[in-house]
């Protein structure tokens, strides 16, 4: 079982620090992250997020964890499961790293 609110977990830090309830929208939060963070951080985020996506946890556990950490994202409105959304975030990070 995934431990919620683990400040040591880079996935928790990334999701809770970027996609919180004070963000105007998930899209704006992501754009802000892409413009403000270093290429090195974005590259490391791609690694730890991909490791999380490919981990042994069930999709239900991953979805619940993402939903808990990214409490500023309303997934039903996006029409995506949390894991689908996170995969799209990773793809956007990859694109941003190519440009930086």
């Amino acid at each position: 079982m995934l431990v919620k609110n683990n400040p040591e977990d880079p996935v928790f830090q990334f999701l809770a620090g970027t996609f919180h309830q004070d963000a105007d929208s998930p899209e704006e939060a992501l754009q802000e992250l892409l413009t403000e963070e270093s290429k090195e951080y974005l590259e490391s985020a791609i690694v730890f997020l991909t490791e999380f996506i490919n981990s042994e946890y069930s999709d239900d556990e991953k979805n619940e964890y993402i939903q808990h950490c990214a409490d500023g994202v309303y997934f039903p409105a996006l029409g995506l499961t949390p894991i689908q959304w996170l995969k799209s975030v990773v793809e956007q990070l990859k694109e941003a790293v190519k440009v930086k």
Side-chain angles (χ1 to χ4, degrees), residues 48-99:
F48 63 71
L49 292 172
T50 301
E51 287 174 355
F52 172 77
I53 289 167
N54 295 330
S55 71
E56 297 292 318
Y57 294 107
S58 72
D59 283 354
D60 285 344
E61 288 175 308
K62 292 176 194 174
N63 284 330
E64 187 179 315
Y65 188 73
I66 295 164
Q67 216 165 354
H68 174 77
C69 296
D71 64 0
V73 180
Y74 184 64
F75 296 99
L78 300 176
L80 298 170
T81 66
I83 197 79
Q84 290 171 326
W85 170 80
L86 188 58
K87 287 177 181 177
S88 76
V89 167
V90 170
E91 289 308 311
Q92 292 175 68
L93 292 174
K94 289 178 180 176
E95 289 300 314
V97 166
K98 287 182 192 174
V99 175

Side-chain angles (χ1 to χ4, degrees), residues 34 37-46 93 97 100:
L34 296 177
E37 288 294 342
S38 68
K39 180 178 181 178
E40 292 75 21
Y41 176 75
L42 297 178
E43 289 171 336
S44 72
I46 292 167
L93 292 174
V97 166
K100 277 198 175 207

